[in-house]
Amino acid sequence: VEEVAAVMVEGVPTAIGARGGALGLVEGQELVIVDPRGARGQTLRPGARFPLTARAPITTAAREGRPAWVQRRAEFVSKYAEGAALASYASGALAVPIFVGERLAGAMGFPFQQPDAITGEVRALARIAADLGGQALDRVRGGRGRPDCDAGALQRLDGQVAGENRRLGGVGGLGQRRRVHRRLARRGEHPRLPRGTAGQGRRRTPG
């Protein structure tokens, strides 16, 4: 699990222009921040525990199973006061849910220094990364692969997703996400989007 977190924390923020990132997994009624083993860009203390009811984008995404974001500091402080207090340098923040199989397992959060930086393309790429991370965690936890192999595959796909984003320039939101998934699926590198993911939220069983 730590290896997957390390790849995501090091690779995804660079791809989407965030200051850094943190991966949290649900344990009971709390979100526990995974230790990424010294990965650059970690923004929350490894092992920190936050109630799922906390007013922060990362706990909201982990609780509701859909992305949560704010674009400007005033909105950040007003809507997610606890999250804003943990990132005094951030103008905005984005969090995306992590699903392991059909289970809502956690979320990943990204602070942004620049206001209005969370475009449709940024949200689409973050969702793709979350899908890939969930699949890697599923394999690791299910004993179907070595963590280093799964993390390596995730790292390679991170570069490919960034390349697809450049190629898909003007396409945003879910449309872009589906196009990227289809292209990777044709190469045999990533499965197609599961049914029922249209729209912003993908509600599944919390766990």
Side-chain angles (χ1 to χ4, degrees):
V1 173
E2 291 83 358
E3 288 87 348
V4 175
V7 170
M8 295 186 75
V9 168
E10 286 219 0
V12 181
T14 299
I16 65 175
R19 165 74 179 269
L23 171 66
L25 297 179
V26 174
E27 290 186 10
Q29 295 303 308
E30 295 181 314
L31 187 72
V32 182
I33 303 302
V34 178
D35 185 355
R37 297 190 174 181
R40 293 169 297 177
Q42 176 73 7
T43 55
L44 294 175
R45 180 177 59 82
R49 291 176 172 268
F50 302 99
L52 288 175
T53 55
R55 294 175 61 198
I58 192 170
T59 49
T60 300
R63 182 179 68 247
E64 298 182 356
R66 58 185 178 183
W69 71 92
V70 286
Q71 298 276 23
R72 291 178 174 263
R73 185 68 191 176
E75 182 187 13
F76 199 177
V77 171
S78 173
K79 190 172 182 179
Y80 298 116
E82 292 166 82
L86 293 170
S88 59
Y89 54 84
S91 293
L94 166 68
V96 289
I98 299 286
F99 291 91
V100 174
E102 294 294 314
R103 181 172 60 89
L104 177 55
M108 189 161 189
F110 309 96
F112 289 77
Q113 285 187 295
Q114 297 300 318
D116 301 317
I118 305 168
T119 63
E121 288 83 359
V122 165
R123 296 195 298 272
L125 283 172
R127 292 294 300 272
I128 291 169
D131 286 348
L132 296 174
Q135 290 170 23
L137 288 169
D138 190 27
R139 287 179 57 81
V140 170
R141 288 188 158 186
R144 297 190 298 276
R146 297 199 313 277
D148 58 334
C149 292
D150 292 305
L154 184 61
Q155 197 165 32
R156 289 191 297 273
L157 280 168
D158 178 69
Q160 292 162 356
V161 167
E164 294 292 348
N165 180 46
R166 289 191 294 272
R167 247 181 303 227
L168 289 170
V171 183
L174 184 69
Q176 181 195 39
R177 186 167 174 247
R178 288 189 181 280
R179 289 182 184 221
V180 171
H181 273 261
R182 282 198 296 268
R183 290 189 181 191
L184 295 177
R186 283 199 296 270
R187 298 176 191 168
E189 293 162 343
H190 189 58
R192 295 182 184 277
L193 281 173
R195 294 172 183 264
T197 57
Q200 186 182 31
R202 178 175 59 172
R203 294 186 175 274
R204 294 186 182 177
T205 305

